[in-house]
Amino acid sequence: MQLPSALLEQAVNEFSKLPGIGKKTALRLVLHLLKQEPEKVEAFGAALLRMRKDTHICQRCYNISDSLLCSICSNPMRKQELICVVESIRDVIAIESTQQYNGTYHVLGGIISPLDGVGPDQLYIEPLVKRVQEDGIQELIFALNPTIQGDTTIYYIQKKIQPSTVKVTTIARGIAFGGELEYADEMTLARSLQHRMPVENLKV
Amino acid sequence: MQLPSALLEQAVNEFSKLPGIGKKTALRLVLHLLKQEPEKVEAFGAALLRMRKDTHICQRCYNISDSLLCSICSNPMRKQELICVVESIRDVIAIESTQQYNGTYHVLGGIISPLDGVGPDQLYIEPLVKRVQEDGIQELIFALNPTIQGDTTIYYIQKKIQPSTVKVTTIARGIAFGGELEYADEMTLARSLQHRMPVENLKV
């Protein structure tokens, strides 16, 4: 793509470094910004930089936060003795969007995956073990992706917190709401038969 | 979507103002930037602002440019007596990418479209007429979208430059290269029969 301006080209290059943004999309976005007032473009850049520089990682749960303790960990209305263990910030956002969970979180920052070179030491597992041992935690809910790596991570953490009286659970696995039985894979179907639940649970 | 940080939310909001970027895509882009070095995010914002503030509109052809005259208008190797009239900067980029055109451009900044409230006065038509009358232009090539609005714009400009000896052409309309006859609309097919061309033209 031949661009008539080097400055335009630089802006397009910067945009196309973002995931899922190709050169053509980048050009469309840049030409849109070109039509905006300079103040708006300035506000755009400033918001990104402020987000990058002024956000913190919560000291307790490793979620993103505007202060040293995140709004969830510092909220006295949330059950501090309940921890939902997730892989990333994105999972916290997804679970918060359900508005059904009233405990706290612990963001691992990834899952154990030897093939990708991610071992337990690169994750925030040690601080989680410490929280369980010192903060009077009653239940750990694992909300990890149902993969080998996810299960390995659950198993590793469960071993680490032994001996402990804390209850350890994982979010339910089974047929997704609105899903169709005939298209479910055998593993999911077999497991959901094995872990069948009382019909009363269907009531919301 | 519940976001755990107000700064994160502001950045997501700014991103989702861009065309074709929804909240979920914006979040993905922002979380990507969150993982980058602050310097990189700073460079990103700076490139956008520099592009918005330091680019010019070429005084002659209204293309985007790093200086007062764009690189095409100031290039002595390009045929200055040949003008390709286009709607937007994006069309200049598309035609330049073919590497087949060696003349100059004139960017109208839109096309005449009464329904959208765009009249000739909002477009750079007056300067084009002046160029034709004063700069010894030999040919005007219209490269506008083949729509009623495009044709109206061609007709209007052609009237405006009368009397003049300048040759006026439009880019060929017909079946697209690699297109299939049976899927072409009747209008295109009828027109391409009417404006059939000698087989010799097929040679590249």
Side-chain angles (χ1 to χ4, degrees):
Chain A
M1 197 157 52
Q2 298 265 339
L3 294 183
S5 149
L7 294 171
L8 191 74
E9 193 155 2
Q10 276 163 25
V12 168
N13 285 341
E14 285 289 337
F15 252 116
S16 55
K17 284 180 193 165
L18 297 176
I21 306 279
K23 288 264 173 187
K24 286 216 161 181
T25 307
L27 180 64
R28 188 161 52 82
L29 299 178
V30 167
L31 290 180
H32 171 84
L33 286 178
L34 194 63
K35 282 190 224 148
Q36 307 303 308
E37 296 294 317
E39 295 73 37
K40 287 203 177 165
V41 179
E42 202 156 6
F44 178 67
L48 297 186
L49 192 61
R50 211 163 46 231
M51 176 277 298
R52 180 61 191 85
K53 282 194 166 168
D54 296 347
T55 50
H56 301 269
I57 295 294
C58 171
Q59 292 182 322
R60 193 180 292 164
C61 74
Y62 300 90
N63 186 11
I64 189 174
S65 164
D66 290 343
S67 46
L68 292 178
L69 263 193
C70 77
S71 55
I72 296 171
C73 285
S74 58
N75 184 348
M77 304 292 286
R78 315 265 316 207
K79 290 181 184 154
Q80 299 292 331
E81 67 277 11
L82 195 59
I83 299 179
C84 179
V85 181
V86 294
E87 183 179 335
S88 73
I89 296 166
R90 208 181 289 214
D91 300 325
V92 174
I93 295 169
I95 295 176
E96 282 297 286
S97 297
T98 67
Q99 299 187 318
Q100 295 290 321
Y101 179 65
N102 197 27
T104 64
Y105 292 93
H106 192 91
V107 178
L108 293 176
I111 45 176
I112 297 174
S113 177
L115 281 180
D116 300 318
V118 182
D121 296 343
Q122 279 128 292
L123 307 176
Y124 297 119
I125 290 180
E126 211 48 65
L128 173 63
V129 173
K130 214 174 152 197
R131 278 179 80 184
V132 170
Q133 289 166 345
E134 296 176 5
D135 293 355
I137 303 301
Q138 286 174 3
E139 185 174 350
L140 271 193
I141 306 173
F142 284 98
L144 302 180
N145 288 329
T147 58
I148 304 273
Q149 290 83 0
D151 290 353
T152 308
T153 308
I154 294 178
Y155 184 75
Y156 181 87
I157 294 175
Q158 209 179 9
K159 283 276 167 199
K160 269 284 192 184
I161 58 176
Q162 298 301 340
S164 149
T165 57
V166 67
K167 190 175 162 191
V168 177
T169 59
T170 168
I171 52 169
R173 295 174 188 183
I175 307 293
F177 189 80
E180 297 195 37
L181 274 200
E182 59 175 319
Y183 297 123
D185 61 297
E186 293 99 5
M187 181 80 142
T188 301
L189 206 50
R191 289 257 194 121
S192 58
L193 264 173
Q194 197 180 336
H195 302 292
R196 58 193 178 276
M197 55 187 201
V199 173
E200 292 90 70
N201 290 7
L202 291 186
K203 288 182 196 141
V204 182
Chain B
M1 198 157 53
Q2 298 263 343
L3 294 183
S5 149
L7 294 170
L8 191 74
E9 193 155 1
Q10 277 163 25
V12 168
N13 285 342
E14 285 290 336
F15 251 117
S16 56
K17 285 180 193 164
L18 297 175
I21 306 279
K23 288 264 173 186
K24 284 214 163 182
T25 307
L27 179 65
R28 188 162 50 83
L29 299 178
V30 167
L31 289 180
H32 171 83
L33 287 178
L34 193 64
K35 281 190 226 149
Q36 308 301 308
E37 297 293 315
E39 294 73 37
K40 287 203 175 163
V41 179
E42 203 156 7
F44 178 68
L48 297 186
L49 193 59
R50 211 162 48 230
M51 177 276 298
R52 179 61 191 84
K53 283 195 165 165
D54 296 346
T55 50
H56 301 268
I57 295 295
C58 173
Q59 291 181 323
R60 193 180 291 164
C61 74
Y62 299 91
N63 187 10
I64 189 174
S65 164
D66 290 342
S67 46
L68 292 178
L69 263 192
C70 77
S71 55
I72 296 171
C73 285
S74 57
N75 184 349
M77 304 293 285
R78 313 269 312 211
K79 290 180 183 155
Q80 299 291 330
E81 67 279 8
L82 197 58
I83 299 180
C84 180
V85 181
V86 293
E87 182 179 335
S88 72
I89 295 165
R90 208 182 290 214
D91 300 325
V92 173
I93 295 169
I95 295 175
E96 281 298 286
S97 296
T98 68
Q99 298 187 321
Q100 295 289 320
Y101 178 66
N102 196 27
T104 64
Y105 293 93
H106 192 90
V107 178
L108 294 176
I111 45 176
I112 298 175
S113 177
L115 281 180
D116 300 318
V118 182
D121 296 342
Q122 280 128 291
L123 308 177
Y124 297 120
I125 290 180
E126 214 45 66
L128 173 62
V129 173
K130 212 174 153 200
R131 280 178 79 181
V132 170
Q133 288 167 345
E134 296 177 4
D135 293 356
I137 302 303
Q138 287 172 5
E139 185 174 350
L140 272 194
I141 306 171
F142 284 98
L144 302 181
N145 288 330
T147 57
I148 306 272
Q149 290 84 359
D151 290 353
T152 308
T153 309
I154 294 179
Y155 184 75
Y156 180 88
I157 295 175
Q158 210 179 8
K159 283 277 167 200
K160 268 283 193 185
I161 58 175
Q162 297 302 340
S164 152
T165 57
V166 68
K167 188 175 162 192
V168 177
T169 58
T170 168
I171 53 169
R173 295 174 189 184
I175 306 293
F177 189 80
E180 297 196 37
L181 273 201
E182 58 175 320
Y183 297 122
D185 62 298
E186 292 99 4
M187 180 81 141
T188 301
L189 205 51
R191 290 256 195 121
S192 61
L193 263 173
Q194 197 181 335
H195 302 291
R196 58 192 177 277
M197 55 187 202
V199 172
E200 293 88 72
N201 292 6
L202 291 186
K203 289 179 195 142
V204 182

